Amino acid sequence: MFMTTGCVSQALRQTTSVQRNSTVEVISLYQGAIPGAIQTTDLENIRDVNHPDTFIMDITHPSITAYFPDPTIANGTAVIILPGGGYSGVSIVKEGYQVAERLNQLGVTAFVLKYRMPLSQSMTDKSTGPLQDAQQAIRLVRSNSQKWQLDPNKIGIMGFSAGGHLAASAAVHFDHAVNDELAQYNLRPDFQILIYPVISFMPQITHQGSRDNLIGPGLDPAQLRYFSNELQVNSRTPPAFLLHAGDDQSVPVENSLVYYQALHQHKVPAQLLIVPSGGHGFGMRNQFDWFNDLGRWLDNMALLTKKP
């Protein structure tokens, strides 16, 4: 089922032009009723309709926008992109569509996930609703790998800021399907790319807004630990590429540092890139072109090599 909403259409018009011979499709994340959802009106809205970096808030109907690269360079690798927004919305252009276009240039198929926000009025458990959507996206992409000419063993997840927290949550909790219907599927991303991510919910370094939106106002100790992803790493956690700016005043660089240390302790291959400046939320717009380093990492991981 293909669905294009007004918000998505407007945001797409505001992106830079898609690479020639790429195709873009907007797909409903679920067929029929969403497990665990509470019936409500569509709460989705755009924070500032005149701003070029469209920020979609209060999402209740999730979808995934597929960016298929030129078939002549497609290599079968796929990346599911989770834009950030503090678990109040998603910066769908700057941390979604523009990143997908750049990945297409590497021959990578990209899927931008417009995931639901943790709202008590629209889901029975707001703390697990976004993770359910991330796991559903992994299932959807992997189960359609033959149709979309993807390698089912080269499906990764990428997240920015709070989307980085969601991506890391999917990477460490892949063996715990928050929706029982997903338990039969392989939910493990094959790799993870985390860009200035929220990692920890521990008070010393967390981004309080993201934490409180997801699990607040009552901060249950078990949930704090469950969603502090540096505490959930094990030897089966997927390989990782991490990027952070040293001068990030919103999400301290310590988030990436503690996650890298946990990955290193469990001998999970990881690369950590700390750029000197840029603050938070720069997307592709940093004076240091970090995407070139990401491309080299993907290549070194044999993720840009087309299967014969």
Side-chain angles (χ1 to χ4, degrees), residues 237-297:
T237 301
F241 176 95
L242 297 103
L243 167 74
H244 225 112
D247 64 351
D248 193 329
Q249 299 300 309
S250 297
V251 178
V253 69
E254 283 78 11
N255 280 267
S256 286
L257 293 176
V258 296
Y259 197 61
Y260 177 83
Q261 289 171 340
L263 294 165
H264 182 69
Q265 178 183 351
H266 290 277
K267 297 181 170 53
V268 176
Q271 178 170 327
L272 170 60
L273 173 61
I274 300 177
V275 294
S277 62
H280 188 74
F282 49 79
M284 307 294 294
R285 307 164 195 167
N286 191 287
Q287 61 182 1
F288 185 93
D289 189 2
W290 58 267
F291 195 89
N292 283 333
D293 287 74
L294 173 60
R296 283 191 288 270
W297 182 80

Side-chain angles (χ1 to χ4, degrees), residues 109-130:
T109 304
F111 298 87
V112 181
L113 178 60
K114 189 182 74 169
Y115 53 94
R116 290 173 297 155
M117 293 301 103
L119 301 170
S120 297
Q121 61 264 49
S122 64
M123 53 186 66
T124 55
D125 182 354
K126 75 185 188 79
S127 69
T128 59

Side-chain angles (χ1 to χ4, degrees), residues 165-179:
H165 181 267
L166 183 53
S169 298
V172 298
H173 293 301
F174 61 84
D175 56 353
H176 173 218
V178 295
N179 168 19

Side-chain angles (χ1 to χ4, degrees), residues 28-30 34-35 62-64 80-82 87 111 113-116 125 127-144 148 155-158 163 165-190 226-227 229 232 238:
S28 294
L29 189 60
Y30 296 90
I34 302 173
S63 64
I64 196 163
I80 299 166
I81 304 170
L82 312 180
Y87 283 120
F111 298 87
L113 178 60
K114 189 182 74 169
Y115 53 94
R116 290 173 297 155
D125 182 354
S127 69
T128 59
L131 181 54
Q132 177 182 310
D133 288 356
Q135 291 182 337
Q136 171 70 8
I138 294 168
R139 184 210 69 80
L140 178 68
V141 171
R142 186 166 277 135
S143 64
N144 283 283
W148 292 332
I155 295 172
I157 198 158
M158 179 181 195
H165 181 267
L166 183 53
S169 298
V172 298
H173 293 301
F174 61 84
D175 56 353
H176 173 218
V178 295
N179 168 19
D180 289 341
E181 296 177 13
L182 295 175
Q184 60 181 306
Y185 297 101
N186 174 14
L187 301 178
R188 180 183 182 272
D190 295 301
Y226 182 86
F227 286 112
N229 293 314
Q232 306 300 328

Side-chain angles (χ1 to χ4, degrees), residues 10-20 22 24 52-53 67 92-94 96-102 105 284-285:
Q10 178 175 350
L12 276 172
R13 287 195 297 271
Q14 294 172 337
T15 64
T16 55
S17 59
V18 180
Q19 180 190 359
R20 191 171 67 178
S22 296
V24 180
D53 295 326
Y67 280 70
I92 201 82
V93 174
K94 183 173 62 172
Y97 302 145
Q98 291 177 351
V99 181
E101 293 171 8
R102 193 80 181 265
Q105 293 172 15
M284 307 294 294
R285 307 164 195 167

